Amino acid sequence: MKCDPMARIKGKDDKMKKVAIYPGSFDPITYGHIDIIERALEIFDNVIVAIANNSEKKALFTVEERLEMVKSIFKDTPNVIVDSFKGLLVNYVAKTNAIVILRGLRATSDFEYEFHMASMNRSLNTHLDTLFMMTSKDYFFVSSRTIKEVASLGGAVEGLVPNLVVRRLKEKFKLPITKKKQIGWDD
Ligand code: ADP
């Protein structure tokens, strides 16, 4: 049975809920992303993690794999809804009751791209705002790209991504997974 991930936030008091959409590639999800989601939950009732299904961007993990990882990480957090979308973000946002787009900022280098995207989205939908959250000091250097680079070369990424992601990266790059970790991971 195909279930509607939005069903959880479509309730009687629908309009009262403050919902944010956190779009991105999440290829793969890192503790930097998770930190932003957890902090956003202090402000919003629901956060929709919206995984972009963008065929133009070459990804390491398929959308299904990314969905599975993020869903598994937030399986005990019902106010995080995990979904994927194709095409224009503003069109996807319109199908939800989200009031803002949430994005993270790590460095001034993120700013220019984010500023252009936020301005473009606002020009496509004048009611739509983007909220930026600063990265935490522990994760300002963490990006999916560097995680993939380091992991592909056999470097340790434990502590920067959840154990489930460490395992998936090792599987992708055909790196050995120690027995202890195979049986002992609490993800
Ligand atoms: P995209 O391809 O859309 O940039 P990403 O998955 O790379 O997707 O990032 C999604 C969002 O999360 C972006 O706003 C990005 O700046 C933010 N982000 C990524 N890593 C971190 C981090 N370590 N700390 C804070 N924000 C982050």
Side-chain angles (χ1 to χ4, degrees), residues 22-26 32-33 36 57 103-104 106 114 135 139 142:
Y22 186 30
S25 309
F26 303 100
H33 294 125
I36 295 282
K57 250 189 179 176
R103 295 285 288 178
R106 281 159 296 187
E114 294 292 343
T135 180
Y139 303 119
V142 178

Side-chain angles (χ1 to χ4, degrees), residues 46-65:
N46 289 103
V47 172
I48 302 171
V49 179
I51 301 174
N53 190 346
N54 184 350
S55 50
E56 310 265 286
K57 250 189 179 176
K58 211 180 160 309
L60 176 67
F61 293 98
T62 65
V63 174
E64 290 71 29
E65 288 170 332

Side-chain angles (χ1 to χ4, degrees), residues 128-139:
L128 199 54
D129 245 311
T130 303
L131 178 78
F132 293 102
M133 292 185 84
M134 293 301 294
T135 180
S136 293
K137 66 172 177 27
D138 297 336
Y139 303 119

Side-chain angles (χ1 to χ4, degrees), residues 26-90:
F26 303 100
D27 183 42
I29 189 163
T30 71
Y31 276 133
H33 294 125
I34 293 170
D35 175 67
I36 295 282
I37 296 167
E38 286 175 346
R39 284 160 55 205
L41 286 173
E42 310 260 325
I43 308 169
F44 298 97
D45 298 300
N46 289 103
V47 172
I48 302 171
V49 179
I51 301 174
N53 190 346
N54 184 350
S55 50
E56 310 265 286
K57 250 189 179 176
K58 211 180 160 309
L60 176 67
F61 293 98
T62 65
V63 174
E64 290 71 29
E65 288 170 332
R66 286 179 265 160
L67 272 170
E68 183 265 323
M69 283 188 274
V70 184
K71 278 185 180 167
S72 167
I73 288 158
F74 289 102
K75 65 179 184 303
D76 298 322
T77 315
N79 37 0
V80 173
I81 289 105
V82 186
D83 198 10
S84 63
F85 72 99
K86 255 189 177 160
L88 273 182
L89 175 64
V90 289

